[in-house]
Amino acid sequence: MVPCTWKFTKVFTTRILDDGVIEEKDQARIEDKNLHIVFVLGGPGSGKGTQCSKIVDTFGFSHLSAGELLRREMSSDTEIGAMICDTIKEGKIVPSEVTVKLLHKHMEANENNKFLIDGFPRTDENRVAFEQFIGVEPVFVLYFECPEEEMVRRVLSRNEGRIDDNIETIKKRLKVFRKLNLPVINHYSARGKVHKINAVGTIDGVFDNIRSHFVAYECFNIAPLQAGRSDLIHAST
Ligand SMILES: Nc1ncnc2c1ncn2[C@@H]1O[C@H](COP(=O)(O)OP(=O)(O)OP(=O)(O)O)[C@@H](O)[C@H]1O
Ligand SMILES: Nc1ccn([C@@H]2O[C@H](COP(=O)(O)O)[C@@H](O)[C@H]2O)c(=O)n1
């Protein structure tokens, strides 16, 4: 598989507004987009979302949280919404087709070509579905290592009203994490793509470890592609 080779063209959609005015909107469609995808993995409450916000602010990636996209879809009054709700309550994994379609929709609607995909792939089935449907591999994978007691403590004090932040569901989520998510991390590890992050410490301390991986990646893979940034290649060699 060739990573990062989608075509990105503009398509025009026409919409008639309430007052009869015709709006022509150019919409981004991924076809030849030079994609840079980073998967962010780790157990529930290991701090993925918290660190993704900092990466977005510092490195200009767009953050797509699979869990958050599913929670938004869950609120829709549809059969799929109800199915997602039941699955999340049980700490199980939503069928890949649903999650990959949501990710694709949001990637297509976003002109950025740098995406942090948080909480995905959760299973080998997720991973294969992404590879087949989206056709791109991650440039690297961040794996947040955190002791289970600490993850439980963090989730129970998160206080965001999530239906899965209770001790019964957390136990199930941890089981699913061990059984289904760790094999995905091992898959990418065997391909030399995993950067392990010690998720214990202050939020800024954890970010200091993450930062170096993005600085190195940007220097060698993004900055040289941008006009006028060849200075960075020379400066770093
Ligand atoms: N380094 C840290 N030290 C202490 N608390 C933290 C740290 N990082 C995040 N937290 C807190 O822990 C809770 C869980 O963090 P966060 O939501 O980022 O985890 P997550 O991995 O995205 O979780 P999930 O997979 O369940 O969505 C939050 O309340 C957050 O403020
Ligand atoms: N790839 C995924 C990601 C998440 N889910 C479901 O959502 C729950 C919450 O996810 P977080 O990443 O926010 O912790 C998770 O426990 C799953 O039920 C999924 O099915 N597939």
Side-chain angles (χ1 to χ4, degrees):
M1 179 179 319
V2 184
C4 310
T5 53
W6 280 10
K7 284 211 163 99
F8 181 65
T9 53
K10 297 249 179 200
V11 289
F12 291 89
T13 52
T14 305
R15 201 160 68 102
I16 301 177
L17 303 175
D18 289 345
D19 55 7
V21 172
I22 293 178
E23 182 192 62
E24 285 234 308
K25 204 173 153 201
D26 57 336
Q27 191 189 346
R29 197 158 69 87
I30 299 172
E31 278 193 357
D32 195 11
K33 208 172 180 183
N34 180 26
L35 283 174
H36 303 265
I37 290 179
V38 174
F39 288 149
V40 183
L41 301 177
S46 56
K48 302 181 294 296
T50 303
Q51 294 297 332
C52 281
S53 304
K54 295 182 79 71
I55 299 166
V56 166
D57 293 346
T58 313
F59 295 102
F61 275 68
S62 292
H63 176 206
L64 293 179
S65 156
E68 186 54 39
L69 296 181
L70 290 168
R71 280 189 289 279
R72 273 192 241 158
E73 196 66 16
M74 177 176 93
S75 334
S76 68
D77 192 14
T78 61
E79 253 177 53
I80 289 196
M83 178 276 288
I84 294 172
C85 183
D86 291 343
T87 310
I88 289 182
K89 264 193 213 155
E90 282 304 309
K92 292 184 178 159
I93 302 299
V94 172
S96 300
E97 189 197 349
V98 174
T99 316
V100 171
K101 272 188 188 159
L102 284 172
L103 289 170
H104 179 260
K105 186 171 102 182
H106 283 82
M107 286 167 73
E108 198 167 63
N110 188 327
E111 295 225 357
N112 202 348
N113 66 342
K114 303 194 292 181
F115 291 96
L116 290 173
I117 303 196
D118 162 6
F120 185 97
R122 281 290 230 278
T123 61
D124 269 324
E125 196 217 12
N126 267 185
R127 176 180 65 74
V128 171
F130 190 88
E131 285 171 3
Q132 288 179 346
F133 191 66
I134 314 266
V136 181
E137 288 214 5
V139 291
F140 62 87
V141 176
L142 292 181
Y143 167 40
F144 286 53
E145 282 190 307
C146 192
E148 291 198 355
E149 317 82 74
E150 176 65 13
M151 294 197 264
V152 172
R153 224 183 343 262
R154 289 183 189 178
V155 170
L156 289 181
S157 51
R158 178 155 48 190
N159 242 341
E160 287 177 2
R162 277 175 51 169
I163 54 171
D164 53 349
D165 280 357
N166 56 76
I167 192 64
E168 290 75 28
T169 312
I170 294 167
K171 282 184 190 159
K172 292 177 186 167
R173 288 160 72 192
L174 285 171
K175 239 183 185 169
V176 167
F177 171 70
R178 281 182 233 121
K179 189 168 170 207
L180 300 176
N181 204 193
L182 286 178
V184 176
I185 293 158
N186 292 337
H187 169 91
Y188 288 120
S189 211
R191 283 154 187 75
K193 289 201 171 189
V194 173
H195 296 310
K196 283 188 186 171
I197 304 297
N198 177 4
V200 181
T202 63
I203 290 171
D204 285 343
V206 174
F207 184 63
D208 281 343
N209 292 330
I210 292 173
R211 183 197 301 273
S212 57
H213 298 298
F214 282 89
V215 168
Y217 183 75
E218 295 244 312
C219 268
F220 290 102
N221 298 281
I222 297 181
L225 302 175
Q226 293 168 352
R229 301 298 300 274
S230 59
D231 50 322
L232 273 177
I233 312 179
H234 300 304
S236 59
T237 48

